[in-house]
Amino acid sequence: MAGASEALEDAQDRGTTLWPRRFTQAGIERNTPWVVALVLGACDLVMWALGWLVADLLLPGVVIVPALVLALVSIAVQFVAGALLGVYRHRYIVGSVGELRTVALASAISAIAAALGSLAFAGDRFFGGVLLAWLAALVLMIGARQALRMAFDRERAPRDAQDVVIVGAGILGASLIDHLLSDKHSKYRPVALVDDDLAKRAMVVRGVPVRGRTMDLARVLDETGADGAIVAISEADSDLFSRLADQVDTSARWVRTVPTFSEMLTRDSIGRLVDLDVEDLVGRPITPPDTSAAREVIAGRRVLVTGAGGSIGSELCRQIKKLEPASLVMLDRDESALHALSMSLQGSALLDQPEYVLADIRDREALDAVFTEHRPEVVFHAAALKHLPMLERFPAEGWKTNVHGSRNVIDAAEQHGVERFVNVSTDKAARPTSILGASKRVAEGLTTDAADRTGRRYVSVRFGNVIGSRGSAIPAFGQQIRNGGPVTVTHKDVTRYFMTIPEACQLVLFALSVGRSGETLVLEMGEPVKIVDIARRMISLAGVSCEIVFTGLRPGEKLAEELFTPDENTVLTRSGRVWHVRNEPIAEGALPAPAAPETAIDAFYTQVLAENDLHQVVEGSPVVPPDADAGTTARAPEPAPAPAPAPGPAAVQVAAPETPATARTPQIAAATSADGPQEMTK
């Protein structure tokens, strides 16, 4: 009855006559308990009277004086029983299954009372009349409530709303339809359902029919003229989202989803929708590795994280906090980033706690002081410069931070007895064609060299582009779409591996627990995804028309990233979804000075990478990991010519550099590819 009261209120708000305005003016409120009891009680009493009238018409001679007494008894008992069972006390939504069940029970009690009265005063002559009157009254009461429910639903239905197709005819889909059709403020009006369950192909939910399977979404959208689709399937996989988004890529329609049930607990209602996360569209399930073993390593130990204010570093700190370390030191050279991290962790940003350290990894003395004071036992090195085009323009900065900064952190860890060390790297370090990739590859080699020198568990972690990280392409696409376009993509054939930030951080923690001394761990990330496909899907999700412009590859970029280098193909083992490889160590004594001339740095890159057989970038084919258990080895395929990049159609074609070999890294020919800067660490 609470639903009925709300419907009456909504109806009056719209100026309807379901509740006369003069009653309100007279102080008779439509949602007070006594009004509800009076209205529904009177309705049921009238239905009982009509039921006895029907009995009289079908059984002539029944309605005599004793029968009139029995009718009054049944009417009185109906009201009392209904009141006791809550039918007239706001307990049920009008027309709901619960209310109809209770009405049937109350009417049955009333009929039994009338039958007992007939047996006491007139024998069994009126049993037939009592039974017929009860059935007629019950049908009339149910019919009256359904009519009232239909009137309420009609008055509460959204008027100025977008027509939508609901994907999923299960419990969640039915609940969503019920909510949308019962909220006058809803922005969406369901007009059709699609579901892959053939048993539901003839189903109708609140007047909304199932009109096909998920593969028929485009057809159903066209037939109904709906503006978009809402996915109402609990824990739907990424493959479904990809198939749905692909069906609306060529139109201005959109695809959205309802939150999970756990998310609903923190939201206002089931009706709140969210746009599909792009991580739902990258073509693989997000299943982070198990990090329970990391708790055994971290719990009760002193931990230090460099680059703690970055996308990866800050999420890593949040996850480490949950593992109950003895202390967690968060180091960064960006005070604003530390301020934001403190707010996210503690809800305040006083920055007066000793665990927040402002320092630059280029400063060896500052690092030594930090390690001396805090004596970390576990170190996660996530600080780095990571914007590929910037490092191509300013290679000396990449040398000072990514190479010598990493060397400083590794040296401090070694000198102060750090037991475990994890260097956060990037898939651009595999067969590097850029300053970013080359500098991170050298950092991996330095980590391996320290592991060999100390015998401690110093490892590197290599992963792909991180969804949502600062400076990555996907947030940039979102901003460009919000600005009305155009959306810029370097090349129509560019592909990338993708990870979510939590997934990347959990891989780092997993590496801490399973990585062996000197190894580099690489997550098996499924198939690479075309960047232009993600851009198109994001445009379709936004429900706008937006131009895509191909800008051309920049120096140092690749069409497709690789996960392994030729020197890593003889030792390739696997733990679940994580590959273990071992690359060649690079002795820190061979490094030119931080302020060395660019010619000396270029010569070092050329020598070191050539020694590791990384100079044949253009001619070499990607190393494909085998589908085998741990301990399997893989061999790189024979070199094969790489196809030249085609510019592809573009709304506005911007010429690419004449040759990617103009990248700053000498002797590292820039194989065609890439998609803009990606934040891999800080």
Side-chain angles (χ1 to χ4, degrees):
M1 195 53 231
S5 301
E6 294 169 3
L8 287 170
E9 183 175 357
D10 290 347
Q12 192 195 22
D13 290 341
R14 290 179 172 163
T16 64
T17 57
L18 285 182
W19 187 254
R21 189 177 298 275
R22 60 179 178 271
F23 284 7
T24 302
Q25 294 173 346
I28 305 175
E29 298 293 340
R30 55 195 170 279
N31 57 349
T32 55
W34 72 269
V35 170
V36 172
L38 180 61
V39 171
L40 286 184
C43 176
D44 289 347
L45 301 188
V46 170
M47 295 305 109
W48 261 109
L50 292 176
W52 279 101
L53 181 59
V54 169
D56 175 52
L57 294 175
L58 297 180
L59 298 174
V62 168
V63 183
I64 55 178
V65 174
L68 290 174
V69 174
L70 295 179
L72 293 175
V73 170
S74 61
I75 290 173
V77 173
Q78 169 70 35
F79 188 81
V80 173
L84 293 175
L85 294 174
V87 175
Y88 312 127
R89 291 190 294 136
H90 287 256
R91 182 171 294 179
Y92 304 100
I93 296 176
V94 67
S96 65
V97 174
E99 187 199 41
L100 297 181
R101 186 184 298 116
T102 308
V103 167
L105 177 59
S107 64
I109 294 173
S110 179
I112 292 173
L116 293 176
S118 171
L119 184 63
F121 298 105
D124 58 0
R125 288 185 302 159
F126 298 105
F127 275 4
V130 171
L131 179 60
L132 186 56
W134 171 58
L135 293 176
L138 181 59
V139 170
L140 290 170
M141 284 187 285
I142 292 176
R145 279 169 166 75
Q146 290 303 307
L148 189 59
R149 174 67 179 268
M150 291 173 62
F152 290 155
D153 288 345
R154 185 166 53 251
E155 293 301 327
R156 299 179 66 189
R159 294 289 191 268
D160 300 324
Q162 293 179 297
D163 290 340
V164 296
V165 174
I166 306 299
V167 180
I171 295 176
L172 187 56
S175 299
L176 179 62
I177 290 175
D178 184 69
H179 175 89
L180 295 179
L181 292 180
S182 302
D183 181 5
K184 69 176 181 179
H185 301 298
S186 173
K187 298 179 181 179
Y188 310 100
R189 178 174 46 245
V191 294
L193 284 152
V194 293
D195 198 289
D196 288 333
D197 188 350
L198 294 179
K200 298 177 181 177
R201 61 179 178 269
M203 180 180 290
V204 177
V205 179
R206 287 285 302 272
V208 180
V210 175
R211 301 190 56 168
R213 304 175 66 183
T214 55
M215 68 175 63
D216 304 318
L217 177 61
R219 172 183 61 80
V220 176
L221 287 170
D222 290 337
E223 291 177 353
T224 60
D227 297 291
I230 299 173
V231 181
I233 301 176
S234 179
E235 298 181 356
D237 57 29
S238 59
D239 180 61
L240 172 63
F241 292 128
S242 295
R243 288 188 284 110
L244 294 176
D246 286 343
Q247 294 187 61
V248 299
D249 271 347
T250 58
S251 69
R253 294 175 174 132
W254 45 260
V255 179
R256 292 172 184 157
T257 183
V258 295
T260 63
F261 282 109
S262 59
E263 291 172 332
M264 290 178 195
L265 296 177
T266 60
R267 296 175 181 261
D268 294 337
S269 69
I270 193 175
R272 289 192 59 179
L273 304 177
V274 294
D275 288 335
L276 290 179
D277 288 335
V278 177
E279 64 191 60
D280 292 326
L281 306 177
V282 299
R284 66 178 179 87
I286 304 301
T287 52
D290 179 26
T291 58
S292 57
R295 179 179 293 274
E296 299 180 7
V297 179
I298 290 178
R301 285 188 169 88
R302 299 179 297 275
V303 180
L304 182 144
V305 178
T306 70
S311 302
I312 297 297
S314 59
E315 175 63 22
L316 192 58
C317 290
R318 281 187 281 271
Q319 295 195 21
I320 291 173
K321 274 281 190 181
K322 300 176 183 178
L323 303 181
E324 301 177 347
S327 65
L328 173 60
V329 177
M330 293 159 279
L331 183 149
D332 202 291
R333 70 174 182 179
D334 186 342
E335 60 182 348
S336 297
L338 289 175
H339 180 278
L341 177 61
S342 177
M343 285 294 296
S344 68
L345 288 177
Q346 299 173 322
S348 64
L350 299 178
L351 295 179
D352 56 355
Q353 301 94 334
E355 58 261 34
Y356 295 102
V357 175
L358 186 65
D360 193 330
I361 62 172
R362 295 182 181 186
D363 189 337
R364 292 180 65 91
E365 293 181 358
L367 281 179
D368 183 70
V370 171
F371 275 71
T372 299
E373 178 183 356
H374 296 282
R375 297 178 295 111
E377 300 169 271
V378 179
V379 171
F380 295 91
H381 175 42
L385 298 177
K386 80 295 180 181
H387 289 285
L388 186 148
M390 292 297 290
L391 293 186
E392 292 300 306
R393 293 178 56 206
F394 305 101
E397 297 304 306
W399 176 256
K400 294 174 185 176
T401 297
N402 294 356
V403 175
H404 275 278
S406 297
R407 174 190 179 181
N408 293 341
V409 178
I410 293 170
D411 285 349
E414 181 180 347
Q415 293 170 10
H416 291 271
V418 171
E419 302 169 3
R420 295 176 184 250
F421 181 94
V422 179
N423 168 50
V424 177
S425 188
T426 166
D427 58 3
K428 291 176 174 59
R431 298 220 233 190
T433 63
S434 64
I435 292 296
L436 170 61
S439 62
K440 296 298 287 182
R441 173 63 185 86
V442 172
E444 290 181 1
L446 293 173
T447 303
T448 301
D449 181 61
D452 292 346
R453 195 167 54 248
T454 64
R456 300 171 191 163
R457 298 181 72 167
Y458 287 18
V459 301
S460 295
V461 180
R462 185 187 296 167
F463 46 69
N465 295 350
V466 179
I467 297 173
S469 62
R470 293 188 310 184
S472 66
I474 290 175
F477 288 166
Q479 186 61 49
Q480 289 174 332
I481 292 171
R482 285 189 291 272
N483 293 340
V487 174
T488 56
V489 180
T490 55
H491 195 283
K492 67 182 181 67
D493 294 324
V494 167
T495 62
R496 290 291 178 268
Y497 294 99
F498 282 96
M499 303 178 68
T500 65
I501 293 177
E503 188 179 27
C505 292
Q506 290 180 5
L507 170 64
V508 173
L509 295 174
F510 184 73
L512 175 72
S513 59
V514 304
R516 293 178 286 270
S517 180
E519 288 186 337
T520 296
L521 280 76
V522 184
L523 177 67
E524 182 184 3
M525 295 176 284
E527 295 298 320
V529 181
K530 293 185 72 171
I531 300 300
V532 69
D533 287 346
I534 288 185
R536 288 170 178 159
R537 289 170 181 171
M538 290 182 68
I539 292 171
S540 70
L541 294 180
V544 299
S545 178
C546 202
E547 183 182 39
I548 295 179
V549 175
F550 296 103
T551 59
L553 295 171
R554 294 166 295 187
E557 293 185 329
K558 300 178 183 178
L559 275 179
E561 297 292 358
E562 302 173 62
L563 300 180
F564 308 97
T565 59
D567 67 311
E568 297 167 342
N569 66 356
T570 56
V571 181
L572 190 58
T573 60
R574 184 172 179 174
S575 296
R577 292 178 53 232
V578 175
W579 297 95
H580 298 244
V581 301
R582 181 178 174 85
N583 52 34
E584 292 298 320
I586 296 176
E588 64 174 41
L591 295 179
E598 287 189 12
T599 54
I601 297 172
D602 290 347
F604 176 80
Y605 279 141
T606 300
Q607 175 186 355
V608 170
L609 300 181
E611 287 175 354
N612 291 318
D613 195 27
L614 300 178
H615 60 293
Q616 299 180 4
V617 175
V618 173
E619 293 79 14
S621 300
V623 179
V624 181
D627 293 327
D629 297 328
T632 304
T633 60
R635 298 286 178 179
E638 292 298 322
V652 179
Q653 183 65 44
V654 179
E658 290 190 8
T659 169
T662 57
R664 282 291 311 155
T665 311
Q667 301 297 323
I668 306 177
T672 53
S673 161
D675 148 59
Q678 300 292 328
E679 165 140 11
M680 305 307 305
T681 54
K682 179 178 175 299

mmCIF file of all heavy atoms in Angstrom, residues 494-514:
data_model
loop_
_atom_site.group_PDB
_atom_site.id
_atom_site.type_symbol
_atom_site.label_atom_id
_atom_site.label_comp_id
_atom_site.label_asym_id
_atom_site.label_seq_id
_atom_site.Cartn_x
_atom_site.Cartn_y
_atom_site.Cartn_z
ATOM 1 N N VAL A 494 47.518 0.357 -35.039
ATOM 2 C CA VAL A 494 48.219 0.291 -33.748
ATOM 3 C C VAL A 494 47.469 -0.626 -32.790
ATOM 4 O O VAL A 494 46.247 -0.526 -32.632
ATOM 5 C CB VAL A 494 48.346 1.697 -33.133
ATOM 6 C CG1 VAL A 494 48.766 1.605 -31.676
ATOM 7 C CG2 VAL A 494 49.349 2.521 -33.908
ATOM 8 N N THR A 495 48.191 -1.522 -32.134
ATOM 9 C CA THR A 495 47.612 -2.402 -31.112
ATOM 10 C C THR A 495 48.414 -2.281 -29.826
ATOM 11 O O THR A 495 49.602 -1.958 -29.843
ATOM 12 C CB THR A 495 47.609 -3.877 -31.565
ATOM 13 O OG1 THR A 495 48.968 -4.308 -31.775
ATOM 14 C CG2 THR A 495 46.796 -4.056 -32.839
ATOM 15 N N ARG A 496 47.744 -2.553 -28.718
ATOM 16 C CA ARG A 496 48.401 -2.511 -27.415
ATOM 17 C C ARG A 496 47.830 -3.598 -26.498
ATOM 18 O O ARG A 496 46.682 -4.021 -26.660
ATOM 19 C CB ARG A 496 48.196 -1.146 -26.737
ATOM 20 C CG ARG A 496 48.947 0.002 -27.402
ATOM 21 C CD ARG A 496 50.444 -0.154 -27.192
ATOM 22 N NE ARG A 496 51.182 0.914 -27.853
ATOM 23 C CZ ARG A 496 51.665 0.860 -29.090
ATOM 24 N NH1 ARG A 496 51.454 -0.225 -29.821
ATOM 25 N NH2 ARG A 496 52.355 1.866 -29.594
ATOM 26 N N TYR A 497 48.644 -4.023 -25.544
ATOM 27 C CA TYR A 497 48.173 -4.840 -24.436
ATOM 28 C C TYR A 497 47.655 -3.914 -23.346
ATOM 29 O O TYR A 497 48.228 -2.849 -23.117
ATOM 30 C CB TYR A 497 49.300 -5.709 -23.869
ATOM 31 C CG TYR A 497 49.817 -6.758 -24.826
ATOM 32 C CD1 TYR A 497 50.980 -6.546 -25.556
ATOM 33 C CD2 TYR A 497 49.138 -7.957 -24.994
ATOM 34 C CE1 TYR A 497 51.460 -7.503 -26.429
ATOM 35 C CE2 TYR A 497 49.610 -8.929 -25.870
ATOM 36 C CZ TYR A 497 50.772 -8.696 -26.589
ATOM 37 O OH TYR A 497 51.235 -9.638 -27.447
ATOM 38 N N PHE A 498 46.582 -4.326 -22.671
ATOM 39 C CA PHE A 498 45.993 -3.472 -21.654
ATOM 40 C C PHE A 498 45.860 -4.196 -20.327
ATOM 41 O O PHE A 498 45.606 -5.400 -20.278
ATOM 42 C CB PHE A 498 44.606 -2.972 -22.090
ATOM 43 C CG PHE A 498 44.667 -1.840 -23.070
ATOM 44 C CD1 PHE A 498 44.569 -2.078 -24.426
ATOM 45 C CD2 PHE A 498 44.839 -0.541 -22.634
ATOM 46 C CE1 PHE A 498 44.634 -1.037 -25.337
ATOM 47 C CE2 PHE A 498 44.903 0.511 -23.529
ATOM 48 C CZ PHE A 498 44.798 0.258 -24.890
ATOM 49 N N MET A 499 46.008 -3.405 -19.256
ATOM 50 C CA MET A 499 45.785 -3.887 -17.897
ATOM 51 C C MET A 499 45.057 -2.792 -17.135
ATOM 52 O O MET A 499 45.146 -1.616 -17.478
ATOM 53 C CB MET A 499 47.108 -4.170 -17.176
ATOM 54 C CG MET A 499 48.026 -5.147 -17.851
ATOM 55 S SD MET A 499 49.558 -5.322 -16.909
ATOM 56 C CE MET A 499 48.947 -6.124 -15.435
ATOM 57 N N THR A 500 44.351 -3.187 -16.091
ATOM 58 C CA THR A 500 43.795 -2.194 -15.182
ATOM 59 C C THR A 500 44.856 -1.851 -14.127
ATOM 60 O O THR A 500 45.806 -2.615 -13.909
ATOM 61 C CB THR A 500 42.537 -2.710 -14.479
ATOM 62 O OG1 THR A 500 42.896 -3.811 -13.625
ATOM 63 C CG2 THR A 500 41.498 -3.176 -15.493
ATOM 64 N N ILE A 501 44.688 -0.717 -13.488
ATOM 65 C CA ILE A 501 45.652 -0.314 -12.456
ATOM 66 C C ILE A 501 45.702 -1.326 -11.312
ATOM 67 O O ILE A 501 46.793 -1.753 -10.904
ATOM 68 C CB ILE A 501 45.333 1.095 -11.940
ATOM 69 C CG1 ILE A 501 45.569 2.129 -13.046
ATOM 70 C CG2 ILE A 501 46.189 1.434 -10.720
ATOM 71 C CD1 ILE A 501 45.207 3.549 -12.657
ATOM 72 N N PRO A 502 44.543 -1.776 -10.749
ATOM 73 C CA PRO A 502 44.624 -2.779 -9.684
ATOM 74 C C PRO A 502 45.279 -4.074 -10.156
ATOM 75 O O PRO A 502 46.040 -4.701 -9.410
ATOM 76 C CB PRO A 502 43.155 -3.002 -9.295
ATOM 77 C CG PRO A 502 42.459 -1.747 -9.709
ATOM 78 C CD PRO A 502 43.153 -1.301 -10.951
ATOM 79 N N GLU A 503 44.985 -4.475 -11.392
ATOM 80 C CA GLU A 503 45.575 -5.696 -11.916
ATOM 81 C C GLU A 503 47.091 -5.557 -12.023
ATOM 82 O O GLU A 503 47.841 -6.483 -11.666
ATOM 83 C CB GLU A 503 44.969 -5.984 -13.289
ATOM 84 C CG GLU A 503 45.345 -7.333 -13.880
ATOM 85 C CD GLU A 503 44.705 -7.556 -15.219
ATOM 86 O OE1 GLU A 503 44.416 -6.567 -15.928
ATOM 87 O OE2 GLU A 503 44.482 -8.730 -15.578
ATOM 88 N N ALA A 504 47.568 -4.429 -12.500
ATOM 89 C CA ALA A 504 49.005 -4.200 -12.614
ATOM 90 C C ALA A 504 49.677 -4.246 -11.243
ATOM 91 O O ALA A 504 50.748 -4.844 -11.081
ATOM 92 C CB ALA A 504 49.259 -2.854 -13.288
ATOM 93 N N CYS A 505 49.036 -3.619 -10.265
ATOM 94 C CA CYS A 505 49.633 -3.591 -8.921
ATOM 95 C C CYS A 505 49.626 -4.969 -8.272
ATOM 96 O O CYS A 505 50.570 -5.338 -7.556
ATOM 97 C CB CYS A 505 48.885 -2.586 -8.047
ATOM 98 S SG CYS A 505 49.126 -0.875 -8.574
ATOM 99 N N GLN A 506 48.582 -5.727 -8.520
ATOM 100 C CA GLN A 506 48.549 -7.072 -7.957
ATOM 101 C C GLN A 506 49.583 -7.969 -8.629
ATOM 102 O O GLN A 506 50.113 -8.891 -8.009
ATOM 103 C CB GLN A 506 47.142 -7.639 -8.072
ATOM 104 C CG GLN A 506 46.165 -6.941 -7.140
ATOM 105 C CD GLN A 506 44.760 -7.476 -7.241
ATOM 106 O OE1 GLN A 506 44.492 -8.444 -7.936
ATOM 107 N NE2 GLN A 506 43.848 -6.827 -6.550
ATOM 108 N N LEU A 507 49.876 -7.697 -9.899
ATOM 109 C CA LEU A 507 50.963 -8.427 -10.550
ATOM 110 C C LEU A 507 52.298 -8.097 -9.880
ATOM 111 O O LEU A 507 53.136 -8.975 -9.669
ATOM 112 C CB LEU A 507 51.026 -8.069 -12.031
ATOM 113 C CG LEU A 507 52.273 -8.582 -12.769
ATOM 114 C CD1 LEU A 507 52.303 -10.104 -12.786
ATOM 115 C CD2 LEU A 507 52.338 -8.026 -14.181
ATOM 116 N N VAL A 508 52.490 -6.831 -9.528
ATOM 117 C CA VAL A 508 53.716 -6.430 -8.842
ATOM 118 C C VAL A 508 53.845 -7.178 -7.514
ATOM 119 O O VAL A 508 54.926 -7.684 -7.165
ATOM 120 C CB VAL A 508 53.735 -4.911 -8.624
ATOM 121 C CG1 VAL A 508 54.933 -4.506 -7.767
ATOM 122 C CG2 VAL A 508 53.777 -4.175 -9.960
ATOM 123 N N LEU A 509 52.760 -7.251 -6.771
ATOM 124 C CA LEU A 509 52.784 -7.976 -5.497
ATOM 125 C C LEU A 509 52.999 -9.475 -5.715
ATOM 126 O O LEU A 509 53.683 -10.139 -4.929
ATOM 127 C CB LEU A 509 51.482 -7.733 -4.737
ATOM 128 C CG LEU A 509 51.245 -6.292 -4.276
ATOM 129 C CD1 LEU A 509 49.868 -6.149 -3.657
ATOM 130 C CD2 LEU A 509 52.319 -5.869 -3.280
ATOM 131 N N PHE A 510 52.405 -9.995 -6.778
ATOM 132 C CA PHE A 510 52.592 -11.407 -7.107
ATOM 133 C C PHE A 510 54.060 -11.681 -7.426
ATOM 134 O O PHE A 510 54.628 -12.696 -7.013
ATOM 135 C CB PHE A 510 51.704 -11.770 -8.291
ATOM 136 C CG PHE A 510 51.744 -13.225 -8.670
ATOM 137 C CD1 PHE A 510 51.127 -14.177 -7.881
ATOM 138 C CD2 PHE A 510 52.387 -13.638 -9.826
ATOM 139 C CE1 PHE A 510 51.146 -15.524 -8.231
ATOM 140 C CE2 PHE A 510 52.413 -14.971 -10.189
ATOM 141 C CZ PHE A 510 51.792 -15.916 -9.389
ATOM 142 N N ALA A 511 54.677 -10.761 -8.176
ATOM 143 C CA ALA A 511 56.092 -10.919 -8.512
ATOM 144 C C ALA A 511 56.951 -10.949 -7.266
ATOM 145 O O ALA A 511 57.949 -11.672 -7.187
ATOM 146 C CB ALA A 511 56.521 -9.776 -9.427
ATOM 147 N N LEU A 512 56.581 -10.141 -6.274
ATOM 148 C CA LEU A 512 57.332 -10.118 -5.023
ATOM 149 C C LEU A 512 57.367 -11.500 -4.381
ATOM 150 O O LEU A 512 58.385 -11.908 -3.813
ATOM 151 C CB LEU A 512 56.697 -9.108 -4.070
ATOM 152 C CG LEU A 512 57.290 -9.039 -2.665
ATOM 153 C CD1 LEU A 512 58.657 -8.377 -2.710
ATOM 154 C CD2 LEU A 512 56.360 -8.276 -1.725
ATOM 155 N N SER A 513 56.260 -12.220 -4.462
ATOM 156 C CA SER A 513 56.160 -13.503 -3.756
ATOM 157 C C SER A 513 56.692 -14.688 -4.564
ATOM 158 O O SER A 513 57.187 -15.650 -3.981
ATOM 159 C CB SER A 513 54.700 -13.761 -3.354
ATOM 160 O OG SER A 513 53.870 -13.781 -4.500
ATOM 161 N N VAL A 514 56.600 -14.645 -5.902
ATOM 162 C CA VAL A 514 56.984 -15.819 -6.699
ATOM 163 C C VAL A 514 58.227 -15.594 -7.539
ATOM 164 O O VAL A 514 58.805 -16.558 -8.042
ATOM 165 C CB VAL A 514 55.823 -16.269 -7.610
ATOM 166 C CG1 VAL A 514 54.564 -16.553 -6.807
ATOM 167 C CG2 VAL A 514 55.548 -15.242 -8.696
#
